[in-house]
Amino acid sequence: QVQLVESGGGLVQAGDSLRLSCAASGRTLSPYAVGWFRQAPGKEREFVAAVSRSGGRTYYADSVQGRFTISRDNGKNTVYLQVNSLRPEDTAVYYCAAAASDVYSGNAGHRGSYAYWGQGTQVTVSS
């Protein structure tokens, strides 16, 4: 099975940017669709963004559309989440997850579509 490790989180100020990385080991990441989710204290884990196996389709939550960009580099076995114009409400632990089946608009945002999860990276945005 594929193991996922997130990195790139940190403490930033509102308006700053970060690039989160999701690196795979154990297996190549190319056969998997990959999603990013986040969980703030006391809240449910929520969908942020997803990219299809080929990288040709991307999906975003309304709250991050236009500010976040998901991309993948299969040669580096890594998926990225560029997060711009950060807001205090973006503060959360960010998780990447891999799906053995490809994702589409109907299932990209569902946690159940993803079988493999990383441990998360903390993003804290101060006002």
Side-chain angles (χ1 to χ4, degrees), residues 23-24 73-78 80:
D73 185 339
N74 286 339
K76 295 184 177 180
N77 232 20
T78 302
Y80 303 100

Side-chain angles (χ1 to χ4, degrees), residues 40-70:
K43 294 188 176 182
E44 294 287 318
R45 192 171 298 188
E46 65 175 3
F47 170 71
V48 174
V51 61
S52 64
R53 288 172 171 171
S54 68
R57 298 189 307 280
T58 56
Y59 305 95
Y60 296 94
D62 289 345
S63 59
V64 306
Q65 181 78 46
R67 298 188 298 124
F68 291 11
T69 303
I70 190 170

Side-chain angles (χ1 to χ4, degrees), residues 2 27 29-35 50-54 57 59 72 97-104 107-116:
V2 63
R27 294 191 65 177
L29 196 54
S30 57
Y32 298 88
V34 176
V51 61
S52 64
R53 288 172 171 171
S54 68
R57 298 189 307 280
Y59 305 95
R72 65 188 303 158
S101 299
D102 214 350
V103 293
Y104 300 90
N107 69 349
H110 298 166
R111 284 178 290 175
S113 298
Y114 303 88
Y116 308 102

Side-chain angles (χ1 to χ4, degrees), residues 10-35:
L11 172 62
V12 297
Q13 294 186 332
D16 285 350
S17 299
L18 288 171
R19 188 175 78 161
L20 308 184
S21 298
C22 172
S25 63
R27 294 191 65 177
T28 178
L29 196 54
S30 57
Y32 298 88
V34 176

